[in-house]
Amino acid sequence: MTCAVRESGGGWRCAGVRWPREVPELGWSRGGDRRVSVLAYGAGLGFRAVGERHCVGARGNVCPLGAVVPGRSTGGRCAECARLDRAHSVAADTMADDPRTYRVYLAWFGPGMVKVGITGEERGAARLREQGAVAFSWLGRGPLMAARRTEEVLRAALGVPDRIPYAKKRAVRGQLPGTEERAGAVAELYARAAALEGRGWPESLERLPLEVVDQVGIFGLDRAPDPAPGRSVRESAPAPVRSVRELVDGGVVAGRLVAAAGPDLHLAVADGGVVVLDTRLITGWDLTSVTRAAEVTGSDVRVPLIDIGGGGVQGGLF
């Protein structure tokens, strides 16, 4: 079975992966219309890129210039649309009178990779799934500026970043420690953060109790064949070693979806390996269904790839 890819003849373009619930969805747009395709682990997914990549616009609006953007851009926007999108985001601090309640979270992505951030309470854990957080806990809730102030205090006091590059997350995703170690890392960070209450922590931010949420199962990172004798299930899981660097006109990506985390789709391909597709690279492209040959074999990857973690580029297209 191949996951649905909408034909470019109708003008549909992929808007990337979304996580409104605990299953990944591919978003599609055509002018003001929006549709989604729910993805399923174990199912096939394939497409061919056609033509040029165009700016995806900003805040739900079509790019007025119809600008062509580079294939390696993970933003998928021209400079003007990127500026407009950023100006209206929570991170821009231009919404001081926002009446909504926000939550401060502590997220763990792998050994030594933790961060603090905020998200709208009504979104639940969608933001954590979008970022590919392997485990997390809420820390507090309150008005936007209180949440923002707490975030800044924690970054400075705990020495944690506000961003972790996806490349670093991918490099450790196939070698995650066990559940107890993941939970312990989040609990340790929570204890350090809670100790700062009353020292720069805004009074209007209500502290929430520690409750570690582990998302390995949601992402499918625990899906593995029966382990060989003497090996754990975690050790037997196929670790991705390559990722798509960019799409090109006529380039094909097809495989079996085995896991997903944040914007990344993990596709099992013909040689028995796993290739990671960052869906931020496919926004703005017209995509068509893969050829019958690819549908029969179940996998076909003919776009530039790069080694995960090593920085080496695979030679040519394959």
Side-chain angles (χ1 to χ4, degrees), residues 150-239:
T150 303
E151 180 186 35
E152 294 173 350
V153 168
L154 294 178
R155 285 180 193 161
L158 303 180
V160 295
D162 61 335
R163 296 177 185 274
I164 297 177
Y166 281 102
K168 290 186 176 181
K169 300 175 189 178
R170 293 184 195 112
V172 301
R173 201 176 287 154
Q175 304 171 3
L176 296 175
T179 305
E180 291 186 4
E181 187 173 339
R182 299 195 295 265
V186 176
E188 190 273 336
L189 181 63
Y190 179 94
R192 293 172 59 202
L196 296 172
E197 193 170 7
R199 291 188 289 164
W201 183 309
E203 294 183 0
S204 56
L205 191 90
E206 171 194 355
R207 180 153 67 90
L208 297 174
L210 171 68
E211 184 176 350
V212 180
V213 178
D214 195 287
Q215 303 197 118
V216 163
I218 293 173
F219 292 154
L221 297 174
D222 59 348
R223 295 171 55 87
D226 293 334
R231 300 184 67 190
S232 68
V233 171
R234 178 65 262 159
E235 290 173 332
S236 66

Side-chain angles (χ1 to χ4, degrees), residues 14 24 36 64 66 70 74 92 94 105 131 147 157 159 162 221-222 224 249 276 281 289:
C14 187
V36 297
T74 54
T94 58
Y105 61 80
Q131 292 186 3
D162 61 335
L221 297 174
D222 59 348
D249 181 23
V276 175
L281 296 174
S289 298

Side-chain angles (χ1 to χ4, degrees), residues 65-81:
L65 303 176
V68 174
V69 295
R72 299 185 193 182
S73 167
T74 54
R77 292 184 172 90
C78 67
E80 182 60 24
C81 287

